[in-house]
Amino acid sequence: MTASTENSPSDFIRDIIAEDIRRGKYKQIRTRFPPEPNGYLHIGHAKSICLNFGIAREFGGICNVRMDDTNPTKEEAEYVQSIMTDVRWLVDSWADNHIGGAPLYASDYFEQFYEYAVDLVRTGKAYVCDMTPEETDAYRRLGKASCFRDRSVEENLDLFARMKAGEFLDGARTLRAKIDVNAANVWLRDPVLYRIRHASHHRTGEKWCIYPMYDWAHTLSDYIEGITHSICTLEFEVHRPLYDWILDALEFPEPRPHQYEFARLNLTYSVISKRKLIQLVDEKLVSGWDDPRMVTISGLRRRGVTPGVLRTFAYNIGITKYPSMTDMALLEHTMRDEFNRIATRRLAVLRPIKIVLTNYPEGKTEELDAINNPEDSDAGMRRIPFSRDLYIERDDFMETPPPKYFRLQPGGEVRLKYAYIIKCDEVVKDEKGNISELRCTVDLDSKSGGPTAGRKVKGTIHWVSASHAIDAEVRLYDRLFTVPEPDASGDFKSFINPHSLEVVSAKCEPALAAARPEERYQFERLGYFALDPDSSREKQVWNRTVTLRDTWAKEAKK
RNA sequence: UACCCCGUGGUGUAACGGUAACACAGCGCCCUUUGGAGGCGUUAUUCUUGGUUCGAAUCCAAGCGGGGUAGCCA
């Protein structure tokens, strides 16, 4: 039994919040999820969403979704759409009443950011700097003051206004905070607050040609929105003194927001960084952002992963400051655990081999009872047609089996799930020596519920009636990479798993014709499957979300 | 190099000064009309060394190891 999201999570951030509440520091908790709209959301974002929305719902607060759109050269409206789709899908009924009116945009605060910047200049806490980017870097590394550091307030005010008015070229000047050029923390060495970019912004168009930097925009956005706990990943840890400096410099009253950092998610057999995901898409190594092998939220969704799985996974991995590497097996376990409870069982044969039951009447069809979900008595029963000609899984027959193989073999018996015990009498081969069909006899008394139904037969296999089966395309997905840490050494793309997708033509039991995209299915003995959006009325397309645990595969390897 | 952060079984986490717990993975057994699920069992000098304390995974110091930052990206 795995802990579910109903258990209240506990971590160092929630401890701090609980203490803040106990001391009455804030009237209401307000968190935020601040993606930059320059790519699709991935499973690492899912961790952050579960954290921020989880806190909002546990502490009766609100979580804002805010587009951090301060760099017009990288951001696109297309991404805003995909981000909101993913957030809403993940948050759904779990916490949708804790969403703070969505989405918000940092770009909506550009005017306020500018006014605050003017305040800063006026109080002598910021100045316009004419150095080139290279000079700025060099001086910062040396802890040397810019030669423009001591400009008068009047000159700074004038220059900043003219920056805004568009009088200067890209990169010609910046507005910098006047803090401490010698500070041990480089983010305090007079960081840039504004840069000049004559570029069209996806929302403000041509209105601005100066754009705020992350620290300035983010801190002020948090303050403007009344964020209480601004939670980000570890790489922003060294920015925290700047975050606090800005709040101090503007003399904002309490209650102020506070920044806390946690470790981002690392997952074995995958790459999570946006930069690498975009490479996979651009170089056509996957079919797109929503390729079911991608750890994007859209990819996982298409693969068949549910919001509940992602939430439980987030709960299972916890929140810490230790940069850990989570085993993909934990994600897979979370899927199996959830799907085992909810998935509807069906029979499907992925790689069919035909069998003929020589002593079963030609033209006869029986309807056999089958259980929809042994883990859920409310799921009920269905009937499966049975006849003389069947398909079974190619893997479920071996001419010369290894020890402990207890499926079908020449002269051997096996039980057909929900049906009869059969015995293989003859292996029919084509001219090339490939098996074309197996001829078997049925123990007609051994039907489930029949006189010899209790006979001990070691193996039970799935099957489907040949004349009743429906055809479907099944996409068998596996891990995208062959090594646990694809980006640990060298080029991650050289570790792509060539077998991460295999497409087969399957034979499915007729009940599957009524399958619904939102429902999860277990193809018995094979794995969990979900309908792909590529499905049409004529032809279903199934995605394998994850296989069942397979202890035989392990045994066979020995 | 400087500064910051982090070190608990193979992995991820818990234990909040009172004598190491849970999950995953692995291994073994039982059960099974899914080789699934389930059940039972099994695996630990808490990085090191000092210190504080009746008592330290927990507090302090140093060392070692790992990560992050040093864009006019976020």
Side-chain angles (χ1 to χ4, degrees), chain A residues 225-519:
Chain A
E225 292 178 9
I227 300 303
T228 56
H229 301 262
S230 181
I231 304 164
C232 58
T233 42
L234 252 25
E235 64 268 30
F236 295 102
E237 210 160 20
V238 290
H239 290 240
R240 193 181 343 126
L242 176 54
Y243 187 96
D244 293 335
W245 182 89
I246 292 170
L247 298 172
D248 277 340
L250 264 8
E251 296 175 21
F252 286 145
E254 294 286 357
R256 289 179 185 173
H258 286 269
Q259 177 183 304
Y260 302 92
E261 310 86 15
F262 69 99
R264 66 185 329 141
L265 173 66
N266 296 298
L267 247 196
T268 58
Y269 299 98
S270 62
V271 294
I272 296 191
S273 87
K274 231 186 245 182
R275 206 195 94 243
K276 284 168 184 150
L277 292 172
I278 208 164
Q279 265 187 73
L280 293 171
V281 174
D282 286 349
E283 297 176 28
K284 309 261 190 276
L285 297 166
V286 295
S287 66
W289 285 104
D290 68 342
D291 185 299
R293 292 166 294 181
M294 295 275 275
V295 290
T296 49
I297 292 181
S298 51
L300 292 163
R301 175 171 60 231
R302 186 165 181 181
R303 175 101 167 220
V305 174
T306 56
V309 165
L310 256 20
R311 280 183 230 126
T312 304
F313 177 65
Y315 176 89
N316 286 340
I317 60 178
I319 298 292
T320 66
K321 299 189 79 157
Y322 180 75
S324 55
M325 179 63 70
T326 297
D327 194 338
M328 178 63 88
L330 183 60
L331 209 212
E332 293 170 347
H333 165 263
T334 309
M335 296 181 201
R336 292 186 182 112
D337 197 51
E338 163 95 347
F339 297 146
N340 178 50
R341 279 195 295 271
I342 65 165
T344 300
R345 270 62 169 179
R346 291 292 182 259
L347 302 186
V349 177
L350 263 27
R351 297 176 184 84
I353 178 172
K354 191 154 185 195
I355 69 173
V356 177
L357 305 176
T358 53
N359 64 331
Y360 194 89
E362 257 178 275
K364 178 181 176 181
T365 297
E366 288 182 85
E367 296 281 325
L368 305 178
D369 292 318
I371 297 164
N372 284 331
N373 183 352
E375 307 290 322
D376 175 10
S377 49
D378 294 338
M381 307 279 289
R382 70 186 185 285
R383 313 201 100 187
I384 312 177
F386 183 88
S387 64
R388 189 172 198 262
D389 296 330
L390 309 172
Y391 292 112
I392 64 165
E393 207 69 59
R394 201 159 272 270
D395 282 353
D396 287 339
F397 173 80
M398 280 188 98
E399 243 185 319
T400 48
K404 293 188 188 171
Y405 181 88
F406 35 82
R407 279 115 96 156
L408 196 60
Q409 49 193 286
E413 283 191 319
V414 78
R415 178 182 299 279
L416 298 176
K417 176 108 182 177
Y418 297 127
Y420 300 86
I421 293 168
I422 61 167
K423 180 177 177 187
C424 175
D425 304 313
E426 188 188 351
V427 181
V428 183
K429 295 182 179 177
D430 61 20
E431 55 288 349
K432 282 190 285 193
N434 297 318
I435 299 169
S436 53
E437 122 184 351
L438 303 173
R439 300 183 72 80
C440 305
T441 44
V442 186
D443 173 352
L444 292 163
D445 288 332
S446 67
K447 185 165 82 172
S448 297
T452 58
R455 262 177 63 201
K456 285 289 172 201
V457 176
K458 192 68 176 162
T460 300
I461 63 174
H462 58 280
W463 53 275
V464 83
S465 168
S467 59
H468 304 272
I470 57 174
D471 294 303
E473 174 179 327
V474 178
R475 300 174 180 169
L476 304 171
Y477 292 105
D478 199 355
R479 297 167 173 182
L480 223 207
F481 295 95
T482 54
V483 296
E485 297 182 51
D487 45 14
S489 60
D491 180 18
F492 71 98
K493 285 173 290 184
S494 62
F495 300 111
I496 287 185
N497 177 5
H499 310 296
S500 58
L501 170 59
E502 184 187 353
V503 181
V504 296
S505 298
K507 297 286 184 183
C508 304
E509 70 160 283
L512 240 16
R516 296 175 302 124
E518 65 276 15
E519 193 164 343

Side-chain angles (χ1 to χ4, degrees), chain A residues 32-41 45 49 53 63-71 75-88 99-110 113 201-204 212 214 217-218 221-222 225 274:
Chain A
R32 104 266 91 109
F33 172 64
E36 182 185 12
N38 68 345
Y40 279 61
L41 260 30
H45 293 110
I49 291 168
F53 276 92
C63 178
N64 290 349
V65 176
R66 179 173 73 226
M67 300 300 156
D68 218 339
D69 54 351
T70 57
N71 186 350
E75 294 142 9
E76 293 169 30
E78 174 210 340
Y79 294 123
V80 173
Q81 193 50 53
S82 76
I83 288 169
M84 290 314 294
T85 300
D86 290 347
V87 170
R88 292 204 174 99
I99 200 162
L104 302 172
Y105 297 85
S107 55
D108 282 351
Y109 313 136
F110 279 175
F113 295 166
H201 185 277
H202 76 113
R203 299 194 85 232
T204 61
Y214 164 81
H218 203 88
S221 300
D222 283 348
E225 292 178 9
K274 231 186 245 182

Side-chain angles (χ1 to χ4, degrees), chain A residues 491-558:
Chain A
D491 180 18
F492 71 98
K493 285 173 290 184
S494 62
F495 300 111
I496 287 185
N497 177 5
H499 310 296
S500 58
L501 170 59
E502 184 187 353
V503 181
V504 296
S505 298
K507 297 286 184 183
C508 304
E509 70 160 283
L512 240 16
R516 296 175 302 124
E518 65 276 15
E519 193 164 343
R520 293 296 168 270
Y521 297 87
Q522 183 196 102
F523 292 175
E524 293 215 33
R525 303 209 306 132
L526 298 172
Y528 296 101
F529 294 79
L531 228 33
D532 188 88
D534 281 349
S535 296
S536 64
R537 187 181 295 276
E538 300 76 44
K539 185 187 177 192
Q540 288 183 336
V541 177
W542 290 91
N543 294 329
R544 183 175 68 195
T545 314
V546 66
T547 62
L548 250 34
R549 258 183 82 217
D550 189 351
T551 48
W552 164 246
K554 247 176 282 178
E555 180 67 31
K557 255 185 237 173
K558 287 181 186 171

